[in-house]
């Protein structure tokens, strides 16, 4: 991290302004080489300075240059931000001059990675930065800002503090073995405190499942036999003609996707190919994709035809989804009834053609996921799959601690599991980490952030 990096931090294209960001020990000196205006080495920190970017004697652009000196910057390094007029040619030319004069092109997420490695933010806060950029709803924005502000990290730091206090008590037991009553007192103290920590972790995990929905939305798939109205339902939910609709069975051969919001929660809706046996190679691939998506979905909308009897193939699918969150939609109630509804549960009747049932479907989704309660939710919980899985892993170590105490294992053996738990909690916030994890995590960030 001794080199100086540069990247375009705004979307490349025609716009009013563009920002090129530079960070590193030589940031000010390098920009000074191509800037005509005040000497940037002599201006106050956190000031904006007017001037021109030049290439030898040629003026490239009229700019405003922000100078921010370490350590009070995002990366805790010297940072320069050059505000140019927006445009592909201008921004690329300024970036080219920076690279020619000693900068290296930043990797995706490298500015945020440096902020983490220099102790400016932890991993939860770093993930919050990216979540803030990609937030599509007001709730997901609020969730991300709590991560960026460090509120979510406090949950994990508090858990680690409680574990370290238990470990300190164990050390007393190990260091002063002559006091015979200490081991008994230590085991009781550990068990009581571990029970409290376990309750706290389970509460965080319970609330965090809702946070994951707020952040990522509800992955919803629409499945059913060909020509039951799947694409029509997708189009009606989205209020646009996203999928092609015809009377020809098998029109949808690949997945079609779209997003809607219900009570501020994103529904990622996927319309799938009609599920049936087919000799058509392309259609059969689509059918396989549809079946595979069942196992990945948070919500399954299974469409049946009011005008037709339930087939054996449909019964197999009904059995496959019975233990998953699902809503059965009996479509085409404008036609004659030929379906037997006696064995169905959790279904709604619908006629897309006559605009009947869409509001009932939305209400059923809201009820199934308790979306109305999300308005009063405390958004200070974990939301990433990485952090949630690590917290679950820490819970497993906690169970080992409890088993060890109940089986009268030596207290120094119990200590091993507690230390492992403390280390796992450290991985969540980045107190302990592997280089591979850090590289993989920040590679998902956009260039210039």
């Amino acid at each position: 991290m001794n080199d100086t990096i540069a990247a375009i931090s705004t979307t490349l294209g025609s716009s009013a302004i563009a920002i090129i960001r530079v960070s590193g020990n030589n940031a000010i000196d390098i920009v000074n080489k191509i800037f005509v205006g005040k000497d940037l080495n002599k201006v106050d920190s956190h000031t904006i300075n007017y001037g021109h970017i030049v290439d030898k004697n040629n003026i490239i652009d009229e700019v405003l240059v922000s100078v921010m000196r370490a350590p009070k910057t995002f990366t805790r390094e010297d940072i320069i931000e050059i505000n140019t007029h927006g445009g592909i040619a201008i921004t690329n030319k300024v970036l080219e001059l920076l690279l020619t004069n000693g900068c290296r092109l930043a990797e995706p997420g490298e500015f945020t990675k440096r902020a983490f490695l220099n102790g400016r933010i932890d991993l939860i806060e770093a993930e919050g930065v990216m979540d803030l950029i990609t937030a599509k709803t007001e709730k997901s924005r609020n969730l991300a800002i709590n991560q960026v502000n460090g509120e979510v990290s406090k949950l994990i730091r508090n858990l680690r503090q409680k574990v370290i206090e238990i470990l300190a008590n164990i050390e007393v037991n190990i260091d002063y073995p002559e006091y015979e009553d200490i081991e008994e007192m230590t085991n009781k103290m550990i068990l009581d405190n571990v029970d409290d920590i376990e309750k706290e972790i389970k509460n965080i995990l319970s609330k965090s499942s809702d946070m994951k929905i707020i952040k990522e939305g509800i992955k919803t798939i629409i499945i059913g036999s060909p020509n039951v109205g799947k694409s029509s339902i997708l189009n009606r939910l989205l209020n646009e003609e996203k999928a092609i609709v015809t009377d020809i069975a098998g029109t949808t051969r690949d997945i079609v996707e779209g997003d809607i919001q219900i009570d501020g929660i994103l529904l990622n809706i996927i319309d799938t190919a009609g599920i049936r046996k087919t000799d058509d190679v392309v259609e059969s691939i689509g059918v396989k994709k549809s079946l595979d998506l069942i196992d990945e979905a948070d919500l399954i909308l299974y469409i049946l035809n009011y005008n037709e009897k339930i087939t054996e193939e449909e019964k197999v699918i009904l059995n496959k989804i019975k233990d998953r969150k699902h809503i059965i939609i009996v479509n085409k109630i404008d036609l004659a009834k030929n379906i037997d509804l006696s064995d169905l549960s959790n279904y709604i009747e619908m006629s897309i053609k006559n605009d009947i049932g869409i509001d009932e479907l939305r209400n059923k989704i809201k009820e199934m996921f308790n979306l109305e309660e999300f308005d009063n939710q405390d958004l200070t919980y974990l939301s990433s799959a990485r952090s949630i899985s690590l917290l679950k892993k820490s819970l497993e170590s906690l169970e080992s601690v409890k088993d060890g105490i109940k089986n009268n294992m030596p207290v120094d053996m119990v200590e091993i599991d507690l230390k492992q738990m403390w280390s796992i909690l450290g991985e969540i916030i980045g107190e302990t980490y592997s280089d591979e994890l850090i590289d993989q995590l920040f590679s998902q960030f956009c260039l210039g952030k």
Side-chain angles (χ1 to χ4, degrees), residues 80 84 93 122 156 233 237 262 267 314-315 333 369:
I80 297 282
T84 72
K93 183 61 180 179
D122 62 33
I156 305 304
I233 289 173
L237 284 169
I262 296 181
L267 253 69
E314 288 172 330
K315 288 178 181 178
I333 60 170
F369 288 89

Side-chain angles (χ1 to χ4, degrees), residues 96-227:
E96 176 191 325
L97 289 173
L98 290 168
L99 298 180
T100 302
N101 282 277
C103 286
R104 170 176 65 77
L105 183 64
E107 298 172 356
E110 190 169 0
F111 291 94
T112 309
K113 181 179 179 179
R114 289 189 176 205
F116 165 71
L117 293 174
N118 289 329
R120 169 68 173 73
I121 57 176
D122 62 33
L123 275 191
I124 289 179
E125 291 166 343
E127 288 174 325
V129 170
M130 196 60 201
D131 291 346
L132 196 57
I133 293 170
T134 57
K136 294 182 180 179
T137 67
E138 180 63 11
K139 285 187 176 69
S140 58
R141 183 196 66 79
N142 283 329
L143 178 63
I145 205 69
N146 279 339
Q147 290 178 252
V148 172
N149 289 342
E151 295 301 317
V152 179
S153 300
K154 289 178 184 176
L155 292 174
I156 305 304
R157 294 187 192 281
N158 289 340
L159 286 172
R160 291 191 95 214
Q161 181 60 33
K162 290 177 180 179
V163 174
I164 207 70
E165 288 171 3
I166 298 173
L167 287 170
N169 193 288
I170 290 175
E171 290 298 326
V172 171
N173 178 276
I174 294 172
D175 292 342
Y176 299 98
E178 63 271 19
Y179 295 103
E180 296 179 358
D181 60 339
I182 285 183
E183 182 169 3
E184 184 178 347
M185 289 173 59
T186 300
N187 284 343
K188 184 180 185 309
M189 182 277 298
I190 292 173
L191 202 54
D192 289 343
N193 287 339
V194 161
D195 284 340
D196 290 340
I197 294 173
E198 182 182 38
K199 289 175 186 176
E200 193 169 341
I201 290 177
K202 286 182 176 178
N203 178 58
I204 293 172
L205 286 172
S206 174
K207 298 289 178 61
S208 293
S209 63
D210 288 344
M211 301 305 108
K212 193 167 181 289
I213 287 175
I214 291 173
K215 174 188 171 182
E216 299 178 2
I218 301 169
K219 187 172 183 179
T220 306
I221 67 164
I222 303 174
I223 61 172
S225 301
N227 211 25

Side-chain angles (χ1 to χ4, degrees), residues 44-92:
D44 293 336
S45 182
H46 293 77
T47 59
I48 299 175
N49 304 273
Y50 169 80
H52 294 84
I53 296 295
V54 298
D55 181 10
K56 298 176 182 175
N57 295 321
N58 298 319
I59 294 177
I60 303 302
D61 195 19
E62 184 181 34
V63 298
L64 293 174
V65 174
S66 301
V67 177
M68 294 163 279
R69 288 191 173 85
K72 293 184 178 180
T73 68
F74 180 60
T75 60
R76 287 192 170 165
E77 301 171 338
D78 288 343
I79 287 183
I80 297 282
E81 289 186 353
I82 304 171
N83 287 254
T84 72
H85 290 92
I88 295 173
I90 295 171
T91 49
N92 277 335

Side-chain angles (χ1 to χ4, degrees), residues 139 207 211 370-379:
K139 285 187 176 69
K207 298 289 178 61
M211 301 305 108
N370 299 314
L371 297 188
E372 290 181 349
E373 295 182 10
F374 278 40
D375 287 334
N376 301 316
Q377 280 272 35
D378 176 7
L379 300 182

